[in-house]
Amino acid sequence: PMKDFTVNGVDLKKNFESVDLKGVTVSVSSVVADNFYKAENTIDGKKDTYWHSYVRKAGETIGLPPFTMEYTFPAVTEISGVVYVPRQDMNVGRATKYNIYASTDGTTFKKIYEGTFDYKGAVADFKPSEASWGNTAMKAIKIETVATISGYGTCAEITFLTGSSGTKIENGETVKETT
């Protein structure tokens, strides 16, 4: 079952279902070496854990955007959107510009969507953001974070959506969790 989310007063659970994450694997292009901020935190169901990209030392050029989070499903799955929950304790690493890529074989990816998440710099902006592009069959999805707050990458939770009948969600509209 899907968590309760609304966009412009429309309850998304009436139009979308969350995708079962059982058996989903995740990999990232960059991660803190201590294994505490690991990729799997983005699908553990807990907002207080998160993935964090490599933390650069003074003078290093590694660990800069873009960052990728790649999710592989056990079978080809219809995905119509994503809900991105940013890190909840500070704005460091919050995604502001992103691309979505789909793969039917888990290897070759095609760009299917690009967008921005509005961020005004307030704690209230730690809420989930959503993007929807319509049902697309895929074995794997790659979320590429092109721009972030402070040049690091973070993500607390990702929820994938299926079922695009009903409300058409515009690029980067903000979702309010109403649990």
Side-chain angles (χ1 to χ4, degrees), residues 6-12:
T6 59
V7 173
N8 295 333
V10 177
D11 186 354
L12 287 183

Side-chain angles (χ1 to χ4, degrees), residues 101-113:
Y101 298 85
S103 173
T104 55
D105 63 6
T107 304
T108 306
F109 287 85
K110 178 183 175 189
K111 185 176 175 179
I112 61 167
Y113 192 83

Side-chain angles (χ1 to χ4, degrees), residues 34-49:
D34 68 6
N35 205 33
F36 183 73
Y37 301 109
K38 58 191 176 186
E40 292 81 7
N41 290 348
T42 65
I43 57 173
D44 68 0
K46 303 173 189 170
K47 285 194 221 178
D48 60 336
T49 64

